[in-house]
Amino acid sequence: MKSLKIIFLISTLLILSACGQNTAGTPEKDVDTKEEAMPHVEDLGIGEIDTTKQSVELSNLIFPTEMTQGDDGNCYYVRKKGKNKIVFYCNDGKEVIETKFKDDLDYIEGFVKYKKYIYIVLSPLVSNDAIACQMASINIETGEWKYLFKQELFGDSQIFFYEDRIYYREADYSDVIYYNLQGKKMGSIHWETEDHGNQRDFNKERHIQMIVDGKIYYTMSTLKREKVKESGGNYLYSCNLDGTEEKKLVEYQRLGPITDKKKFVFSSNQMSMDDKYIYVLERYWQGNSDLYRIPIKGGTIEKVTDRLVYDYKLNDSIIYFIEDYQLYKKNQDLKEETKVFEEPVENVFFAGGYLMLQGYDKEEMDGINDAFDLEIGVSDDYTADYYLVTLDGQLVSKMEGTDVKYTGHHPGEEKWFE
């Protein structure tokens, strides 16, 4: 059910973002990132990379009202208007297109702006069908809708857009199917997995991280779950867009120290790439996350900050990251670290020449978690505060969010009611 799924995902994200309090001021004192001896890696053999040719991901949203990052460096969001109309906006309120839902597919699982389209994954609000989601496109210029293909409920699946293709990795990690932008299947990549019945295994689960300059980059653990707890073996691979020429680039067996709070590392680590480094947000079982970067041409892996990072973005000169709901920035030389915004925030996006920050309200999140414990639903139109700020953290405008609305919806019921 949608409300239960929403609350579960929020609880998961709150666990992942859990970390200690800090009392940082502005500017911060330099943070020593050389306390631990970092591994040395050889040249990854990638060659020269055009990092302007990067994929954009369509991610599963906790609430349909959340921001998403478009392919043009702007962020986008959607709001309801009346009974079945929706309006898509860019950055701090520029209207992109007004349209309406079709049929009974009226729940937004996720969306992204790519070229002249809004690509959107829809599902009925209540369904027992495992293949319930529908990928659709909305032409921004004409308003025309087109249903493209059906897919499983989002779960562990992934969707990327790159060079006029849609890459859809199925939830069981076995196949990547690629389509053209009109939804016609162009081919598929088959990845071998190991079936251990109902016991989930991390062996050979491939998580696509990004598609850059004609290569798919993905992580994979080749150790079974019980062994991963001990050694945390993860590998970064690349392959061509059709799956050929698979190549192991680097092995990293837990970059951070082994502690009770860092049992093992997920192979679904959040990665990004510039022309010198591959950035790795190493997520641990107990929710702590460390940010590292791997030199593409070889050298010592660097820890970007000693802070426990929840989300990050980078441009040509600055790394932005969030710890304990506070936004920081750090120059690429890693010498100076500065807190740049005072309000608590949960996510950071680029918005043209600005940043868009998703606010965080502890009281509201505590209430949502309590609702989850009591199996009480949360209305899907909940909206956090959003702040448009300069790259130095100066407030430009604020979009007020909404209060949390609780419903009487419980698992197994057929209808929502206030």
Side-chain angles (χ1 to χ4, degrees):
M1 313 304 280
K2 297 299 177 185
S3 59
L4 187 60
K5 182 191 78 170
I6 287 169
I7 300 168
F8 174 76
L9 286 172
I10 290 172
S11 301
T12 302
L13 287 176
L14 288 174
I15 291 172
L16 286 173
S17 60
C19 51
Q21 296 290 324
N22 72 78
T23 56
T26 305
E28 293 291 319
K29 65 179 181 180
D30 292 356
V31 177
D32 183 5
T33 60
K34 298 181 180 180
E35 293 179 358
E36 303 165 9
M38 290 288 102
H40 181 89
V41 296
E42 302 299 323
D43 190 320
L44 303 189
I46 295 175
E48 297 301 319
I49 310 165
D50 184 353
T51 55
T52 64
K53 296 179 178 179
Q54 295 217 22
S55 58
V56 59
E57 184 175 5
L58 193 162
S59 300
N60 189 10
L61 299 178
I62 298 173
F63 288 98
T65 55
E66 291 182 47
M67 295 275 182
T68 68
Q69 191 77 65
D71 67 324
D72 55 358
N74 294 301
C75 59
Y76 293 82
Y77 60 99
V78 63
R79 296 290 182 267
K80 292 180 180 178
K81 184 178 181 180
K83 186 175 182 180
N84 67 342
K85 288 184 179 180
I86 52 174
V87 183
F88 288 91
Y89 297 93
C90 177
N91 295 339
D92 61 339
K94 179 183 177 182
E95 184 172 323
V96 177
I97 187 171
E98 179 179 321
T99 184
K100 61 174 61 177
F101 287 117
K102 292 181 178 292
D103 306 322
D104 63 342
L105 298 172
D106 56 359
Y107 187 86
I108 299 173
E109 299 278 353
F111 74 91
V112 72
K113 185 267 177 189
Y114 182 71
K115 298 203 169 178
K116 65 176 183 178
Y117 297 96
I118 298 287
Y119 287 90
I120 185 169
V121 177
L122 299 167
S123 69
L125 188 60
V126 178
S127 176
N128 295 320
D129 185 3
I131 313 296
C133 289
Q134 174 74 58
M135 169 71 81
S137 65
I138 307 170
N139 189 308
I140 293 173
E141 298 172 357
T142 67
E144 179 186 4
W145 279 70
K146 183 178 181 180
Y147 287 157
L148 303 182
F149 56 86
K150 290 190 174 183
Q151 66 177 73
E152 296 176 289
L153 290 172
F154 232 120
D156 290 325
S157 62
Q158 293 181 289
I159 302 173
F160 290 84
F161 292 78
Y162 179 80
E163 295 292 306
D164 294 335
R165 284 183 177 181
I166 306 169
Y167 288 82
Y168 167 56
R169 199 218 67 210
E170 295 182 328
D172 64 359
Y173 303 92
S174 60
D175 291 310
V176 178
I177 304 170
Y178 48 94
Y179 305 83
N180 65 17
L181 296 184
Q182 288 70 49
K184 180 181 178 180
K185 183 178 178 179
M186 307 297 293
S188 63
I189 302 169
H190 179 68
W191 280 333
E192 293 291 339
T193 59
E194 293 190 2
D195 185 7
H196 294 270
N198 294 328
Q199 178 64 40
R200 182 182 175 188
D201 201 321
F202 291 98
N203 203 30
K204 296 188 177 180
E205 286 185 356
R206 293 166 171 85
H207 296 258
I208 297 175
Q209 298 294 332
M210 54 200 165
I211 306 175
V212 183
D213 199 14
K215 296 285 187 180
I216 300 173
Y217 293 88
Y218 55 93
T219 49
M220 179 173 68
S221 170
T222 57
L223 297 177
K224 293 180 173 57
R225 185 184 181 105
E226 61 271 13
K227 293 183 180 178
V228 173
K229 287 184 178 181
E230 298 172 2
S231 60
N234 280 296
Y235 303 84
L236 175 63
Y237 284 78
S238 70
C239 68
N240 292 334
L241 298 178
D242 61 359
T244 59
E245 297 187 20
E246 182 177 76
K247 179 182 179 181
K248 185 169 75 172
L249 301 176
V250 66
E251 173 184 351
Y252 58 99
Q253 295 193 356
R254 190 189 288 107
L255 298 175
I258 300 173
T259 70
D260 289 341
K261 293 184 178 181
K262 298 177 180 180
K263 295 293 187 183
F264 64 93
V265 62
F266 289 103
S267 59
S268 57
N269 296 330
Q270 181 182 342
M271 289 188 175
S272 57
M273 178 187 292
D274 61 20
D275 59 349
K276 295 180 180 178
Y277 298 96
I278 293 175
Y279 289 78
V280 183
L281 186 60
E282 190 172 74
R283 297 192 184 279
Y284 302 100
W285 181 251
Q286 297 295 332
N288 296 289
S289 304
D290 290 323
L291 182 60
Y292 300 89
R293 64 184 187 184
I294 302 171
I296 293 173
K297 298 299 182 182
T300 301
I301 295 175
E302 296 177 290
K303 191 174 184 182
V304 173
T305 176
D306 279 344
R307 301 189 183 280
L308 298 175
V309 177
Y310 172 68
D311 187 30
Y312 77 100
K313 292 289 188 299
L314 55 98
N315 61 21
D316 292 339
S317 59
I318 298 174
I319 307 161
Y320 295 94
F321 56 90
I322 293 172
E323 183 212 44
D324 197 20
Y325 309 110
Q326 298 295 306
L327 179 68
Y328 299 86
K329 71 174 183 178
K330 198 163 191 174
N331 295 333
Q332 294 277 8
D333 60 13
L334 305 187
K335 288 184 178 180
E336 184 178 7
E337 188 170 286
T338 308
K339 181 180 175 182
V340 295
F341 194 66
E342 293 299 325
E343 297 295 329
V345 295
E346 191 168 9
N347 292 104
V348 55
F349 305 88
F350 287 118
Y354 299 89
L355 300 176
M356 184 67 76
L357 309 176
Q358 178 182 335
Y360 172 79
D361 188 308
K362 184 179 185 303
E363 183 177 350
E364 287 181 343
M365 292 298 103
D366 287 345
I368 289 172
N369 282 325
D370 290 342
F372 172 66
D373 292 338
L374 298 172
E375 296 188 345
I376 297 173
V378 178
S379 177
D380 62 9
D381 61 359
Y382 165 71
T383 305
D385 292 336
Y386 280 93
Y387 305 92
L388 184 72
V389 304
T390 66
L391 297 181
D392 290 326
Q394 299 300 309
L395 180 65
V396 176
S397 62
K398 177 183 178 181
M399 293 188 293
E400 296 284 348
T402 62
D403 294 329
V404 179
K405 297 177 182 178
Y406 299 101
T407 72
H409 186 62
H410 290 261
E413 293 182 356
E414 293 301 321
K415 296 181 179 179
W416 288 64
F417 59 89
E418 296 293 336

